[in-house]
Amino acid sequence: MKIITILLQIVFIHIFLFLGATVQTLFHLPIPASMIGLVLLFLALSLHIIKLEWVEKGGNWLLAELLLFFVPSAVGVVNYNEMFSLQGLTTVIIIGVSTFIVMATTAFIADRIYFYKERDVQ
Amino acid sequence: MMIIVVVCMTIALYAIAKIGYKKLPLPIFHPLLLSPILIIAVIIIFHVSANQYLIQAQPLTHMLGPATVAFAIPIYKHLAVVKKYIGIIVTSITIGSLVAIFSSLLLALMVHLNNNFLVSVLPRSVTTPIAMEVSKDIGGIPTLTTVFVILTGIIGGIIGPSVINGLSIKSPVAKGLALGMSAHGVGTNKAMEYGEQAATFSTLAMIFAASITMVWGKVLIPFIITYLG
């Protein structure tokens, strides 16, 4: 029963994806259909056009299993011969170092502002 | 028929990797690293090319679309906290997105990375569809960018907990923002382990990072590339 609810809700969420694609085509937007769909779903929830219960179970499942949907693309990495060279290895190291710097900087800044703000409130 | 076999095989190996990672959370067991390795082993054994596999596995990749749409749900549920912390979000992500572009650029220049790789690596910190758009805009190779985005996600998911513990980041707001900014959807998936609030902020970081990176892709990156000649 729970599986059927999740499946139906995923089908329902697709409506917003298609609406997003329609809006994108109509207005020639350089934004992906899924991002427009996100905004449309958010608006539909905020304006009480649809109820949270209609999408919550399916949406939570999609988000919980998000990594699964990245798996085929990760397998596809083997298609890029350029990656299996010194150049590719160097790029992987650059990506690792840069990701570390971005994560640390963002965490540090957000944490500082957060505690500054919280102390202000008290 | 082949589609069902491939999709079921992928789900099964992903489930195995997920259980394994839960039992023994070593970086090498991260589901986004272990399951592709298992799948590559299987397709080699059965003489299936990576391209054939990718075509059959299309339904799974397709689900990234509705999954992106579904990110509206946590934002809607936590709208009050979002409004309260909008200043933190805007400040940390504006800086984070610039750090993402400039740190990749400087590192790439330092090691004299070839031009295609250099340009394609710049938008790697944001979610795949946006990164591909930006890559196209700035004269990169979108497919190469996709590879870099995936690698960013895998690395971010693996190093995330160590960075957060190492810097003793306490607030779920900062944990979420850092994961979503640095490792897009994969980081957001990791943020769920720190609770719903962290997941919400990670989602917001991801969306805001994507939007602002599109702006950088239009105004800032072309300027840098022209300057570099």
PDB file of all heavy atoms in Angstrom, chain B residues 3-36:
ATOM      1  N   ILE B   3      15.970  -3.307 -20.200  1.00  0.00           N
ATOM      2  CA  ILE B   3      15.830  -2.167 -19.290  1.00  0.00           C
ATOM      3  C   ILE B   3      15.537  -2.659 -17.876  1.00  0.00           C
ATOM      4  O   ILE B   3      16.188  -2.238 -16.913  1.00  0.00           O
ATOM      5  CB  ILE B   3      14.710  -1.214 -19.776  1.00  0.00           C
ATOM      6  CG1 ILE B   3      15.144  -0.529 -21.070  1.00  0.00           C
ATOM      7  CG2 ILE B   3      14.374  -0.193 -18.700  1.00  0.00           C
ATOM      8  CD1 ILE B   3      14.188   0.498 -21.595  1.00  0.00           C
ATOM      9  N   ILE B   4      14.595  -3.595 -17.760  1.00  0.00           N
ATOM     10  CA  ILE B   4      14.214  -4.094 -16.431  1.00  0.00           C
ATOM     11  C   ILE B   4      15.404  -4.762 -15.750  1.00  0.00           C
ATOM     12  O   ILE B   4      15.672  -4.516 -14.574  1.00  0.00           O
ATOM     13  CB  ILE B   4      13.015  -5.068 -16.543  1.00  0.00           C
ATOM     14  CG1 ILE B   4      11.811  -4.319 -17.126  1.00  0.00           C
ATOM     15  CG2 ILE B   4      12.655  -5.666 -15.187  1.00  0.00           C
ATOM     16  CD1 ILE B   4      10.655  -5.195 -17.528  1.00  0.00           C
ATOM     17  N   VAL B   5      16.137  -5.578 -16.506  1.00  0.00           N
ATOM     18  CA  VAL B   5      17.300  -6.271 -15.943  1.00  0.00           C
ATOM     19  C   VAL B   5      18.324  -5.253 -15.432  1.00  0.00           C
ATOM     20  O   VAL B   5      18.795  -5.328 -14.295  1.00  0.00           O
ATOM     21  CB  VAL B   5      17.949  -7.212 -16.997  1.00  0.00           C
ATOM     22  CG1 VAL B   5      19.237  -7.829 -16.450  1.00  0.00           C
ATOM     23  CG2 VAL B   5      16.975  -8.303 -17.419  1.00  0.00           C
ATOM     24  N   VAL B   6      18.639  -4.268 -16.286  1.00  0.00           N
ATOM     25  CA  VAL B   6      19.659  -3.271 -15.927  1.00  0.00           C
ATOM     26  C   VAL B   6      19.219  -2.436 -14.721  1.00  0.00           C
ATOM     27  O   VAL B   6      19.982  -2.229 -13.779  1.00  0.00           O
ATOM     28  CB  VAL B   6      19.977  -2.370 -17.152  1.00  0.00           C
ATOM     29  CG1 VAL B   6      20.683  -1.096 -16.725  1.00  0.00           C
ATOM     30  CG2 VAL B   6      20.828  -3.134 -18.153  1.00  0.00           C
ATOM     31  N   VAL B   7      17.959  -1.987 -14.748  1.00  0.00           N
ATOM     32  CA  VAL B   7      17.463  -1.162 -13.636  1.00  0.00           C
ATOM     33  C   VAL B   7      17.474  -1.965 -12.331  1.00  0.00           C
ATOM     34  O   VAL B   7      17.955  -1.486 -11.300  1.00  0.00           O
ATOM     35  CB  VAL B   7      16.048  -0.609 -13.947  1.00  0.00           C
ATOM     36  CG1 VAL B   7      15.419   0.010 -12.705  1.00  0.00           C
ATOM     37  CG2 VAL B   7      16.127   0.435 -15.062  1.00  0.00           C
ATOM     38  N   CYS B   8      16.981  -3.225 -12.394  1.00  0.00           N
ATOM     39  CA  CYS B   8      16.950  -4.059 -11.181  1.00  0.00           C
ATOM     40  C   CYS B   8      18.364  -4.349 -10.676  1.00  0.00           C
ATOM     41  O   CYS B   8      18.626  -4.298  -9.471  1.00  0.00           O
ATOM     42  CB  CYS B   8      16.204  -5.367 -11.429  1.00  0.00           C
ATOM     43  SG  CYS B   8      14.439  -5.117 -11.604  1.00  0.00           S
ATOM     44  N   MET B   9      19.273  -4.627 -11.606  1.00  0.00           N
ATOM     45  CA  MET B   9      20.667  -4.897 -11.223  1.00  0.00           C
ATOM     46  C   MET B   9      21.258  -3.669 -10.526  1.00  0.00           C
ATOM     47  O   MET B   9      21.910  -3.784  -9.485  1.00  0.00           O
ATOM     48  CB  MET B   9      21.448  -5.252 -12.496  1.00  0.00           C
ATOM     49  CG  MET B   9      22.896  -5.653 -12.310  1.00  0.00           C
ATOM     50  SD  MET B   9      24.037  -4.287 -12.523  1.00  0.00           S
ATOM     51  CE  MET B   9      24.113  -4.143 -14.306  1.00  0.00           C
ATOM     52  N   THR B  10      20.998  -2.490 -11.096  1.00  0.00           N
ATOM     53  CA  THR B  10      21.535  -1.260 -10.510  1.00  0.00           C
ATOM     54  C   THR B  10      20.966  -1.038  -9.105  1.00  0.00           C
ATOM     55  O   THR B  10      21.702  -0.733  -8.164  1.00  0.00           O
ATOM     56  CB  THR B  10      21.213  -0.044 -11.416  1.00  0.00           C
ATOM     57  OG1 THR B  10      21.672  -0.337 -12.730  1.00  0.00           O
ATOM     58  CG2 THR B  10      21.872   1.217 -10.910  1.00  0.00           C
ATOM     59  N   ILE B  11      19.644  -1.226  -8.971  1.00  0.00           N
ATOM     60  CA  ILE B  11      19.005  -1.030  -7.656  1.00  0.00           C
ATOM     61  C   ILE B  11      19.569  -2.029  -6.648  1.00  0.00           C
ATOM     62  O   ILE B  11      19.905  -1.663  -5.514  1.00  0.00           O
ATOM     63  CB  ILE B  11      17.465  -1.170  -7.760  1.00  0.00           C
ATOM     64  CG1 ILE B  11      16.905  -0.028  -8.617  1.00  0.00           C
ATOM     65  CG2 ILE B  11      16.822  -1.169  -6.373  1.00  0.00           C
ATOM     66  CD1 ILE B  11      15.413  -0.130  -8.894  1.00  0.00           C
ATOM     67  N   ALA B  12      19.731  -3.280  -7.078  1.00  0.00           N
ATOM     68  CA  ALA B  12      20.222  -4.323  -6.163  1.00  0.00           C
ATOM     69  C   ALA B  12      21.642  -3.999  -5.685  1.00  0.00           C
ATOM     70  O   ALA B  12      21.926  -4.038  -4.479  1.00  0.00           O
ATOM     71  CB  ALA B  12      20.190  -5.676  -6.851  1.00  0.00           C
ATOM     72  N   LEU B  13      22.533  -3.642  -6.631  1.00  0.00           N
ATOM     73  CA  LEU B  13      23.917  -3.349  -6.248  1.00  0.00           C
ATOM     74  C   LEU B  13      24.009  -2.074  -5.403  1.00  0.00           C
ATOM     75  O   LEU B  13      24.820  -1.979  -4.483  1.00  0.00           O
ATOM     76  CB  LEU B  13      24.816  -3.243  -7.492  1.00  0.00           C
ATOM     77  CG  LEU B  13      24.993  -4.563  -8.255  1.00  0.00           C
ATOM     78  CD1 LEU B  13      25.840  -4.359  -9.494  1.00  0.00           C
ATOM     79  CD2 LEU B  13      25.608  -5.629  -7.360  1.00  0.00           C
ATOM     80  N   TYR B  14      23.117  -1.122  -5.698  1.00  0.00           N
ATOM     81  CA  TYR B  14      23.062   0.102  -4.892  1.00  0.00           C
ATOM     82  C   TYR B  14      22.612  -0.243  -3.469  1.00  0.00           C
ATOM     83  O   TYR B  14      23.177   0.253  -2.491  1.00  0.00           O
ATOM     84  CB  TYR B  14      22.102   1.094  -5.550  1.00  0.00           C
ATOM     85  CG  TYR B  14      21.668   2.250  -4.688  1.00  0.00           C
ATOM     86  CD1 TYR B  14      22.529   3.316  -4.435  1.00  0.00           C
ATOM     87  CD2 TYR B  14      20.393   2.290  -4.118  1.00  0.00           C
ATOM     88  CE1 TYR B  14      22.120   4.377  -3.649  1.00  0.00           C
ATOM     89  CE2 TYR B  14      19.981   3.340  -3.334  1.00  0.00           C
ATOM     90  CZ  TYR B  14      20.848   4.391  -3.098  1.00  0.00           C
ATOM     91  OH  TYR B  14      20.440   5.442  -2.315  1.00  0.00           O
ATOM     92  N   ALA B  15      21.610  -1.134  -3.364  1.00  0.00           N
ATOM     93  CA  ALA B  15      21.107  -1.535  -2.041  1.00  0.00           C
ATOM     94  C   ALA B  15      22.203  -2.238  -1.246  1.00  0.00           C
ATOM     95  O   ALA B  15      22.393  -1.967  -0.058  1.00  0.00           O
ATOM     96  CB  ALA B  15      19.885  -2.444  -2.195  1.00  0.00           C
ATOM     97  N   ILE B  16      22.960  -3.109  -1.931  1.00  0.00           N
ATOM     98  CA  ILE B  16      24.066  -3.815  -1.259  1.00  0.00           C
ATOM     99  C   ILE B  16      25.099  -2.806  -0.745  1.00  0.00           C
ATOM    100  O   ILE B  16      25.520  -2.846   0.410  1.00  0.00           O
ATOM    101  CB  ILE B  16      24.729  -4.827  -2.232  1.00  0.00           C
ATOM    102  CG1 ILE B  16      23.762  -5.984  -2.508  1.00  0.00           C
ATOM    103  CG2 ILE B  16      26.048  -5.352  -1.657  1.00  0.00           C
ATOM    104  CD1 ILE B  16      24.203  -6.915  -3.624  1.00  0.00           C
ATOM    105  N   ALA B  17      25.464  -1.852  -1.623  1.00  0.00           N
ATOM    106  CA  ALA B  17      26.452  -0.841  -1.236  1.00  0.00           C
ATOM    107  C   ALA B  17      25.954  -0.014  -0.049  1.00  0.00           C
ATOM    108  O   ALA B  17      26.702   0.307   0.870  1.00  0.00           O
ATOM    109  CB  ALA B  17      26.768   0.065  -2.425  1.00  0.00           C
ATOM    110  N   LYS B  18      24.655   0.299  -0.078  1.00  0.00           N
ATOM    111  CA  LYS B  18      24.066   1.111   0.988  1.00  0.00           C
ATOM    112  C   LYS B  18      24.113   0.378   2.338  1.00  0.00           C
ATOM    113  O   LYS B  18      24.488   0.963   3.357  1.00  0.00           O
ATOM    114  CB  LYS B  18      22.606   1.435   0.620  1.00  0.00           C
ATOM    115  CG  LYS B  18      22.177   2.821   1.052  1.00  0.00           C
ATOM    116  CD  LYS B  18      20.785   3.109   0.557  1.00  0.00           C
ATOM    117  CE  LYS B  18      19.954   3.721   1.669  1.00  0.00           C
ATOM    118  NZ  LYS B  18      18.610   4.102   1.219  1.00  0.00           N
ATOM    119  N   ILE B  19      23.766  -0.909   2.310  1.00  0.00           N
ATOM    120  CA  ILE B  19      23.804  -1.707   3.537  1.00  0.00           C
ATOM    121  C   ILE B  19      25.246  -1.846   4.032  1.00  0.00           C
ATOM    122  O   ILE B  19      25.536  -1.654   5.209  1.00  0.00           O
ATOM    123  CB  ILE B  19      23.169  -3.108   3.303  1.00  0.00           C
ATOM    124  CG1 ILE B  19      21.672  -2.956   2.993  1.00  0.00           C
ATOM    125  CG2 ILE B  19      23.354  -4.000   4.537  1.00  0.00           C
ATOM    126  CD1 ILE B  19      21.027  -4.203   2.410  1.00  0.00           C
ATOM    127  N   GLY B  20      26.149  -2.122   3.086  1.00  0.00           N
ATOM    128  CA  GLY B  20      27.564  -2.256   3.436  1.00  0.00           C
ATOM    129  C   GLY B  20      28.110  -1.000   4.095  1.00  0.00           C
ATOM    130  O   GLY B  20      28.804  -1.064   5.108  1.00  0.00           O
ATOM    131  N   TYR B  21      27.730   0.161   3.525  1.00  0.00           N
ATOM    132  CA  TYR B  21      28.214   1.446   4.042  1.00  0.00           C
ATOM    133  C   TYR B  21      27.667   1.726   5.442  1.00  0.00           C
ATOM    134  O   TYR B  21      28.337   2.314   6.280  1.00  0.00           O
ATOM    135  CB  TYR B  21      27.800   2.552   3.083  1.00  0.00           C
ATOM    136  CG  TYR B  21      28.410   3.897   3.391  1.00  0.00           C
ATOM    137  CD1 TYR B  21      29.786   4.089   3.365  1.00  0.00           C
ATOM    138  CD2 TYR B  21      27.605   4.997   3.691  1.00  0.00           C
ATOM    139  CE1 TYR B  21      30.350   5.328   3.634  1.00  0.00           C
ATOM    140  CE2 TYR B  21      28.155   6.246   3.959  1.00  0.00           C
ATOM    141  CZ  TYR B  21      29.529   6.397   3.921  1.00  0.00           C
ATOM    142  OH  TYR B  21      30.074   7.634   4.185  1.00  0.00           O
ATOM    143  N   LYS B  22      26.439   1.274   5.687  1.00  0.00           N
ATOM    144  CA  LYS B  22      25.812   1.450   7.004  1.00  0.00           C
ATOM    145  C   LYS B  22      26.552   0.615   8.048  1.00  0.00           C
ATOM    146  O   LYS B  22      26.797   1.062   9.158  1.00  0.00           O
ATOM    147  CB  LYS B  22      24.340   1.038   6.930  1.00  0.00           C
ATOM    148  CG  LYS B  22      23.435   1.973   7.735  1.00  0.00           C
ATOM    149  CD  LYS B  22      21.979   1.654   7.479  1.00  0.00           C
ATOM    150  CE  LYS B  22      21.167   2.925   7.273  1.00  0.00           C
ATOM    151  NZ  LYS B  22      19.859   2.635   6.673  1.00  0.00           N
ATOM    152  N   LYS B  23      26.903  -0.620   7.653  1.00  0.00           N
ATOM    153  CA  LYS B  23      27.592  -1.536   8.576  1.00  0.00           C
ATOM    154  C   LYS B  23      29.031  -1.079   8.812  1.00  0.00           C
ATOM    155  O   LYS B  23      29.551  -1.175   9.919  1.00  0.00           O
ATOM    156  CB  LYS B  23      27.591  -2.961   7.984  1.00  0.00           C
ATOM    157  CG  LYS B  23      26.210  -3.600   7.972  1.00  0.00           C
ATOM    158  CD  LYS B  23      26.218  -4.919   8.727  1.00  0.00           C
ATOM    159  CE  LYS B  23      24.876  -5.262   9.319  1.00  0.00           C
ATOM    160  NZ  LYS B  23      23.802  -5.549   8.435  1.00  0.00           N
ATOM    161  N   LEU B  24      29.675  -0.621   7.740  1.00  0.00           N
ATOM    162  CA  LEU B  24      31.091  -0.279   7.824  1.00  0.00           C
ATOM    163  C   LEU B  24      31.324   1.034   7.052  1.00  0.00           C
ATOM    164  O   LEU B  24      31.623   0.997   5.863  1.00  0.00           O
ATOM    165  CB  LEU B  24      31.897  -1.421   7.209  1.00  0.00           C
ATOM    166  CG  LEU B  24      33.350  -1.582   7.658  1.00  0.00           C
ATOM    167  CD1 LEU B  24      33.416  -1.943   9.130  1.00  0.00           C
ATOM    168  CD2 LEU B  24      34.039  -2.651   6.829  1.00  0.00           C
ATOM    169  N   PRO B  25      31.123   2.185   7.700  1.00  0.00           N
ATOM    170  CA  PRO B  25      31.152   3.455   6.957  1.00  0.00           C
ATOM    171  C   PRO B  25      32.562   3.924   6.568  1.00  0.00           C
ATOM    172  O   PRO B  25      33.018   4.976   6.981  1.00  0.00           O
ATOM    173  CB  PRO B  25      30.475   4.445   7.916  1.00  0.00           C
ATOM    174  CG  PRO B  25      30.586   3.835   9.259  1.00  0.00           C
ATOM    175  CD  PRO B  25      30.843   2.365   9.112  1.00  0.00           C
ATOM    176  N   LEU B  26      33.251   3.117   5.778  1.00  0.00           N
ATOM    177  CA  LEU B  26      34.552   3.528   5.242  1.00  0.00           C
ATOM    178  C   LEU B  26      34.321   4.298   3.945  1.00  0.00           C
ATOM    179  O   LEU B  26      33.404   3.973   3.200  1.00  0.00           O
ATOM    180  CB  LEU B  26      35.421   2.302   4.929  1.00  0.00           C
ATOM    181  CG  LEU B  26      35.871   1.436   6.108  1.00  0.00           C
ATOM    182  CD1 LEU B  26      36.576   0.198   5.600  1.00  0.00           C
ATOM    183  CD2 LEU B  26      36.780   2.233   7.027  1.00  0.00           C
ATOM    184  N   PRO B  27      35.167   5.337   3.661  1.00  0.00           N
ATOM    185  CA  PRO B  27      34.976   6.128   2.433  1.00  0.00           C
ATOM    186  C   PRO B  27      34.849   5.274   1.174  1.00  0.00           C
ATOM    187  O   PRO B  27      34.030   5.568   0.307  1.00  0.00           O
ATOM    188  CB  PRO B  27      36.244   6.975   2.382  1.00  0.00           C
ATOM    189  CG  PRO B  27      36.671   7.099   3.789  1.00  0.00           C
ATOM    190  CD  PRO B  27      36.264   5.840   4.483  1.00  0.00           C
ATOM    191  N   ILE B  28      35.622   4.206   1.078  1.00  0.00           N
ATOM    192  CA  ILE B  28      35.604   3.373  -0.126  1.00  0.00           C
ATOM    193  C   ILE B  28      34.240   2.681  -0.302  1.00  0.00           C
ATOM    194  O   ILE B  28      33.858   2.319  -1.400  1.00  0.00           O
ATOM    195  CB  ILE B  28      36.770   2.335  -0.100  1.00  0.00           C
ATOM    196  CG1 ILE B  28      36.798   1.434  -1.346  1.00  0.00           C
ATOM    197  CG2 ILE B  28      36.721   1.467   1.129  1.00  0.00           C
ATOM    198  CD1 ILE B  28      37.274   2.113  -2.582  1.00  0.00           C
ATOM    199  N   PHE B  29      33.475   2.546   0.779  1.00  0.00           N
ATOM    200  CA  PHE B  29      32.152   1.921   0.701  1.00  0.00           C
ATOM    201  C   PHE B  29      31.034   2.916   0.419  1.00  0.00           C
ATOM    202  O   PHE B  29      29.865   2.545   0.437  1.00  0.00           O
ATOM    203  CB  PHE B  29      31.842   1.162   2.001  1.00  0.00           C
ATOM    204  CG  PHE B  29      32.583  -0.134   2.141  1.00  0.00           C
ATOM    205  CD1 PHE B  29      32.690  -0.770   3.381  1.00  0.00           C
ATOM    206  CD2 PHE B  29      33.172  -0.725   1.037  1.00  0.00           C
ATOM    207  CE1 PHE B  29      33.378  -1.974   3.505  1.00  0.00           C
ATOM    208  CE2 PHE B  29      33.859  -1.923   1.155  1.00  0.00           C
ATOM    209  CZ  PHE B  29      33.967  -2.544   2.393  1.00  0.00           C
ATOM    210  N   HIS B  30      31.385   4.188   0.190  1.00  0.00           N
ATOM    211  CA  HIS B  30      30.347   5.173  -0.122  1.00  0.00           C
ATOM    212  C   HIS B  30      29.528   4.662  -1.316  1.00  0.00           C
ATOM    213  O   HIS B  30      30.101   4.276  -2.340  1.00  0.00           O
ATOM    214  CB  HIS B  30      30.986   6.524  -0.447  1.00  0.00           C
ATOM    215  CG  HIS B  30      30.002   7.638  -0.533  1.00  0.00           C
ATOM    216  ND1 HIS B  30      29.266   7.857  -1.674  1.00  0.00           N
ATOM    217  CD2 HIS B  30      29.587   8.557   0.368  1.00  0.00           C
ATOM    218  CE1 HIS B  30      28.458   8.887  -1.462  1.00  0.00           C
ATOM    219  NE2 HIS B  30      28.640   9.325  -0.227  1.00  0.00           N
ATOM    220  N   PRO B  31      28.177   4.643  -1.184  1.00  0.00           N
ATOM    221  CA  PRO B  31      27.345   4.041  -2.245  1.00  0.00           C
ATOM    222  C   PRO B  31      27.616   4.583  -3.642  1.00  0.00           C
ATOM    223  O   PRO B  31      27.519   3.846  -4.621  1.00  0.00           O
ATOM    224  CB  PRO B  31      25.922   4.384  -1.804  1.00  0.00           C
ATOM    225  CG  PRO B  31      26.010   4.576  -0.341  1.00  0.00           C
ATOM    226  CD  PRO B  31      27.375   5.115  -0.049  1.00  0.00           C
ATOM    227  N   LEU B  32      28.000   5.859  -3.737  1.00  0.00           N
ATOM    228  CA  LEU B  32      28.228   6.434  -5.067  1.00  0.00           C
ATOM    229  C   LEU B  32      29.606   6.071  -5.616  1.00  0.00           C
ATOM    230  O   LEU B  32      29.946   6.379  -6.752  1.00  0.00           O
ATOM    231  CB  LEU B  32      28.041   7.960  -5.011  1.00  0.00           C
ATOM    232  CG  LEU B  32      27.737   8.655  -6.338  1.00  0.00           C
ATOM    233  CD1 LEU B  32      26.712   7.920  -7.154  1.00  0.00           C
ATOM    234  CD2 LEU B  32      27.285  10.076  -6.094  1.00  0.00           C
ATOM    235  N   LEU B  33      30.422   5.398  -4.795  1.00  0.00           N
ATOM    236  CA  LEU B  33      31.717   4.925  -5.263  1.00  0.00           C
ATOM    237  C   LEU B  33      31.658   3.408  -5.450  1.00  0.00           C
ATOM    238  O   LEU B  33      32.042   2.875  -6.485  1.00  0.00           O
ATOM    239  CB  LEU B  33      32.793   5.300  -4.235  1.00  0.00           C
ATOM    240  CG  LEU B  33      34.237   5.243  -4.684  1.00  0.00           C
ATOM    241  CD1 LEU B  33      34.485   6.147  -5.864  1.00  0.00           C
ATOM    242  CD2 LEU B  33      35.153   5.659  -3.532  1.00  0.00           C
ATOM    243  N   LEU B  34      31.096   2.730  -4.432  1.00  0.00           N
ATOM    244  CA  LEU B  34      31.074   1.261  -4.453  1.00  0.00           C
ATOM    245  C   LEU B  34      30.110   0.703  -5.499  1.00  0.00           C
ATOM    246  O   LEU B  34      30.482  -0.195  -6.260  1.00  0.00           O
ATOM    247  CB  LEU B  34      30.722   0.721  -3.050  1.00  0.00           C
ATOM    248  CG  LEU B  34      30.767  -0.788  -2.881  1.00  0.00           C
ATOM    249  CD1 LEU B  34      32.136  -1.359  -3.228  1.00  0.00           C
ATOM    250  CD2 LEU B  34      30.379  -1.189  -1.455  1.00  0.00           C
ATOM    251  N   SER B  35      28.877   1.259  -5.573  1.00  0.00           N
ATOM    252  CA  SER B  35      27.945   0.664  -6.543  1.00  0.00           C
ATOM    253  C   SER B  35      28.394   0.850  -7.999  1.00  0.00           C
ATOM    254  O   SER B  35      28.298  -0.114  -8.765  1.00  0.00           O
ATOM    255  CB  SER B  35      26.488   1.080  -6.308  1.00  0.00           C
ATOM    256  OG  SER B  35      26.356   2.377  -5.857  1.00  0.00           O
ATOM    257  N   PRO B  36      28.917   2.031  -8.410  1.00  0.00           N
ATOM    258  CA  PRO B  36      29.428   2.082  -9.788  1.00  0.00           C
ATOM    259  C   PRO B  36      30.554   1.079 -10.047  1.00  0.00           C
ATOM    260  O   PRO B  36      30.596   0.470 -11.118  1.00  0.00           O
ATOM    261  CB  PRO B  36      29.947   3.517  -9.918  1.00  0.00           C
ATOM    262  CG  PRO B  36      29.185   4.287  -8.921  1.00  0.00           C
ATOM    263  CD  PRO B  36      28.948   3.359  -7.772  1.00  0.00           C
TER     264      PRO B  36
END
